[in-house]
Amino acid sequence: MTIYAYSSFTYSYLDRARVLARTLRDHHPDWRLCAIITDLPPDGAKADDLLADFDMVITTEDLMRDALPGTTKGWIFGHNIVEACTAVKGRMMEHLLDQPDAEKVLFFDPDIAIFAPLNPLLDALDTAQIILTPHQVAPDDRGNVMAIVDNEICSLHHGVFNLGFVGVSNGTEARRFAQWWGDRLMDHCVDDLPRGLFTDQKWCNLVPCFFDDVRIIRDPGYNVASWNLSQRKVTFDPEGEPRVNDHPLRFFHFTKLGPVGDQMTRRYAHDNPEVLEIWAWYRRAVAAARDASVPEGYWHYGEFDNGRPIPHHARRLYRDRADLQTAFRDPFCVEDGFLDWLVDNGILDPLIDAPPAANTAETRP
């Protein structure tokens, strides 16, 4: 039987995904590493070369073809890059559970790196079918208002569990969970906090309510990130191995690598220089994994086929309007007419991308 580990990303995150794959393989060379990629390779690049670190690669168009016959491109169009990469996680989990040798399936965000063997997670899946990691496993002190706002209130807003990781064993409850999660993400994976939605994450607040055999992993060595550093002290043991609250550091989640991640990390690691050392290592590892054939910020589905960027409000409009989906089956294709329709109805400026000046809810194709 086989352990499957997978991640979901675009080519702009290939450098991070390579670090995940290589650190995972260092500790678990026998696992089967898989990628679900919502992208097409840049001109002149070959997917096989770019994704050689993975044993199995599936594109979103291939994964969704049966579920969305003839409408896969329209479905992708209705999501921004983050929504699209998270919306496929449930269906990919179902696909891997259907593999005849699949014993356990684990998902990792591409901006995670593995620092120690993950055998305790496999042990947990011997007695549970679904395992999740909360954003926090201990409360902040009452007087630390900034940490409560950044961490606990943020979790109430964005989701109790961090879905940068989830693991399942191949059983009835896990399959029920994967199907339910996949269904919800196909229809409702959007970043719309006023409506109570934050891509794939808030749905899993319901997992302990809907499913049996759920285990919450409270070991502080898992999913260490800016949102829990106020309660997790990172040190190095005499052999130089990182530890968290005297537990082995299993994996670190380097969310928002760049100015935002730097700010949040410095805020809570100002008296913990070991965290900054780990971040510095990760920056070097990502830089070394970068591929010059991938332009910075590249995403094949970020533009119409004439090269014009697709603004977020155009995606939302298409997603919310069944009439537009019926009229324009391939909205990326300029010849299909959706771009012209957006311009003709004043939703896009003929020369620049600007939000519509008036309510266009009643316009029709």
Side-chain angles (χ1 to χ4, degrees):
M1 299 299 284
T2 302
I3 308 299
Y4 284 82
Y6 75 104
S7 191
S8 176
F9 54 94
T10 66
Y11 284 108
S12 62
Y13 258 57
L14 175 64
D15 46 8
R16 296 161 176 81
R18 284 175 166 175
V19 175
L20 168 65
R22 293 167 187 177
T23 57
L24 194 49
R25 202 176 293 281
D26 285 344
H27 296 286
H28 296 284
D30 55 328
W31 288 13
R32 188 161 172 78
L33 306 187
C34 310
I36 170 68
I37 186 155
T38 308
D39 212 346
L40 296 178
D43 291 342
K46 296 182 179 179
D48 288 348
D49 295 336
L50 294 174
L51 300 167
D53 290 288
F54 294 88
D55 301 308
M56 176 194 294
V57 177
I58 298 177
T59 68
T60 289
E61 290 198 41
D62 286 339
L63 181 71
M64 293 296 194
R65 186 167 288 120
D66 290 339
L68 299 163
T71 62
T72 305
K73 285 188 175 180
W75 181 84
I76 295 172
F77 186 93
H79 298 82
N80 65 31
I81 190 170
V82 174
E83 293 167 348
C85 287
T86 51
V88 296
K89 287 162 57 174
R91 283 287 179 261
M92 185 63 171
M93 180 179 285
E94 287 187 272
H95 177 76
L96 295 178
L97 287 171
D98 284 340
Q99 303 306 301
D101 62 341
E103 179 184 2
K104 295 164 184 174
V105 175
L106 300 97
F107 171 82
F108 298 91
D109 264 354
D111 53 0
I112 283 173
I114 313 301
F115 289 87
L118 302 178
N119 301 87
L121 295 180
L122 303 185
D123 294 341
L125 286 170
D126 286 338
T127 56
Q129 290 193 35
I130 305 164
I131 56 175
L132 297 166
T133 52
H135 282 101
Q136 292 91 38
V137 298
D140 283 295
D141 294 335
R142 182 184 180 190
N144 193 346
V145 177
M146 180 180 293
I148 292 170
V149 171
D150 283 344
N151 301 330
E152 296 180 27
I153 292 178
C154 189
S155 289
L156 293 174
H157 206 43
H158 293 85
V160 173
F161 303 106
N162 180 261
L163 269 295
F165 168 79
V166 59
V168 295
S169 57
N170 203 340
T172 301
E173 284 298 272
R175 286 175 170 271
R176 281 208 316 124
F177 160 67
Q179 181 178 4
W180 167 80
W181 196 36
D183 287 346
R184 294 298 175 270
L185 300 189
M186 281 190 68
D187 298 331
H188 306 288
C189 186
V190 293
D191 184 351
D192 192 350
L193 287 171
R195 290 176 54 211
L197 297 173
F198 183 63
T199 61
D200 64 326
Q201 200 157 263
K202 291 192 74 174
W203 289 108
C204 285
N205 287 0
L206 298 170
V207 168
C209 308
F210 289 172
F211 303 98
D212 294 323
D213 296 332
V214 178
R215 174 79 58 83
I216 310 304
I217 304 298
R218 295 186 175 88
D219 185 320
Y222 295 93
N223 223 340
V224 181
S226 58
W227 53 75
N228 51 45
L229 284 175
S230 64
Q231 292 292 320
R232 301 192 190 190
K233 177 75 172 178
V234 178
T235 58
F236 292 102
D237 67 17
E239 288 72 41
E241 298 300 323
R243 300 183 69 81
V244 183
N245 296 0
D246 207 29
H247 293 251
L249 170 59
R250 302 289 180 176
F251 63 83
F252 201 110
H253 195 158
F254 297 92
T255 188
K256 299 188 184 302
L257 182 65
V260 175
D262 289 348
Q263 178 185 3
M264 292 302 295
T265 300
R266 284 195 299 267
R267 179 177 295 177
Y268 291 108
H270 60 88
D271 61 348
N272 194 171
E274 291 85 348
V275 172
L276 303 181
E277 288 186 48
I278 290 172
W279 267 85
W281 166 84
Y282 186 68
R283 286 183 181 282
R284 294 193 298 271
V286 168
R290 196 157 291 140
D291 195 296
S293 68
V294 181
E296 185 175 357
Y298 172 83
W299 188 35
H300 174 80
Y301 299 110
E303 303 174 337
F304 293 100
D305 64 3
N306 67 352
R308 179 168 179 168
I310 303 168
H312 185 68
H313 62 275
R315 294 184 186 275
R316 291 276 69 78
L317 182 65
Y318 184 85
R319 180 185 178 95
D320 293 340
R321 293 270 301 269
D323 58 332
L324 297 178
Q325 296 164 26
T326 299
F328 308 109
R329 305 291 278 186
D330 184 355
F332 294 101
C333 178
V334 173
E335 291 186 0
D336 200 36
F338 185 51
L339 176 56
D340 287 341
W341 183 90
L342 290 168
V343 171
D344 291 345
N345 282 275
I347 297 163
L348 293 188
D349 187 278
L351 298 178
I352 61 172
D353 297 322
N359 184 358
T360 59
E362 294 305 314
T363 58
R364 293 290 178 264

